């Protein structure tokens, strides 16, 4: 049955996604954007087989991350899905519905004006430590005249690389 599909998860029409795990395991649970944060969803096992699944109705342009917790402790990406992305919790598999399109700001564009990351050290007397602070400055920024809203991001180095914030 599974050999007829060249893409995993299995996408049915433009609304349904079927996440499949096929392999030796006593238990498989799903962690991902399609369920509540800090919870696991046990996958349903097809009786008498090593096939587990969960099905979801999603928006046609949704893009979500997920991973499996195998046998109550081993966190793994989907072995049938080659699309993975880094996250704060380790690599995760990516599920993209048919109408999802990558945002333009994630694409590198040759010759496009780019801003810069200005990095400096900050010594905290309250926490008694020192850390690097990075500030993104847009192209043409003039510190004497330009004022912009500010976005503070925790886990900055991971956000800079994984979320491609400078783009």
């Amino acid at each position: 049955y599974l050999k007829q599909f060249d893409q995993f998860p299995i996408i049915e029409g433009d609304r349904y996604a079927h996440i499949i795990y096929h392999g030796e395991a006593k238990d498989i649970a799903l962690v991902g954007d399609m369920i509540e944060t800090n919870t696991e969803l046990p996958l349903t096992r097809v009786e008498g087989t090593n096939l587990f699944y969960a099905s979801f109705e999603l928006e046609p342009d949704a893009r979500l991350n997920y991973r499996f917790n195998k046998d109550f402790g081993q966190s793994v990406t989907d072995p049938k899905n080659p699309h993975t992305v880094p996250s704060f919790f380790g690599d995760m598999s990516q599920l993209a519905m048919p109408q999802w399109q990558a945002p333009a700001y994630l694409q590198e564009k040759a010759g496009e004006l780019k801003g810069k990351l200005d990095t400096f050290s900050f010594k905290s007397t309250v926490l008694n430590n020192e850390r690097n602070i990075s500030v993104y400055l847009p192209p043409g920024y003039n510190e004497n005249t330009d004022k912009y809203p500010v976005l503070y991001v925790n886990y900055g180095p991971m956000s800079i690389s994984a979320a491609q914030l400078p783009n």
Side-chain angles (χ1 to χ4, degrees):
Y1 173 77
L2 295 178
K3 288 181 182 178
Q4 69 180 308
F5 299 102
D6 58 359
Q7 171 187 315
F8 286 86
I10 297 170
I11 307 298
E12 182 184 350
D14 67 354
R15 301 267 328 169
Y16 300 96
H18 308 286
I19 296 176
I20 309 289
Y21 183 90
H22 184 231
E24 292 303 317
K26 294 175 184 163
D27 179 77
I28 297 291
L30 180 73
V31 175
D33 297 332
M34 64 286 291
I35 60 175
E36 188 176 334
T37 302
N38 296 323
T39 62
E40 294 182 353
L41 175 71
L43 269 63
T44 301
R45 183 180 206 145
V46 176
E47 190 173 337
T49 72
N50 59 359
L51 180 68
F52 301 79
Y53 71 94
S55 297
F56 300 93
E57 182 175 4
L58 302 170
E59 293 297 321
D61 60 350
R63 210 240 2 111
L64 306 107
N65 297 333
Y66 70 97
R67 70 172 188 266
F68 298 123
N69 282 341
K70 180 179 175 182
D71 294 333
F72 304 101
Q74 183 184 2
S75 180
V76 296
T77 57
D78 185 341
K80 295 196 172 293
N81 181 352
H83 306 288
T84 60
V85 293
S87 80
F88 296 116
F89 310 106
D91 285 349
M92 297 191 74
S93 296
Q94 176 181 287
L95 185 167
M97 294 300 285
Q99 294 181 31
W100 180 77
Q101 295 181 4
Y105 66 84
L106 292 179
Q107 309 304 315
E108 289 282 337
K109 297 180 181 101
E112 182 177 293
L113 286 176
K114 295 183 180 176
K116 67 177 185 169
L117 282 178
D118 189 9
T119 302
F120 60 91
S121 292
F122 172 77
K123 185 171 184 174
S124 172
T125 55
V126 174
L127 298 175
N128 195 28
N129 66 17
E130 191 170 320
R131 61 190 66 214
N132 288 330
I133 305 292
S134 295
V135 177
Y136 172 79
L137 301 172
Y141 175 77
N142 180 330
E143 67 182 57
N144 296 319
T145 60
D146 293 341
K147 304 290 181 213
Y148 293 98
V150 175
L151 169 67
Y152 296 94
V153 179
N154 292 318
Y155 310 104
M158 181 67 162
S159 298
I160 288 169
S161 63
Q164 299 178 11
L165 283 183
N167 288 1

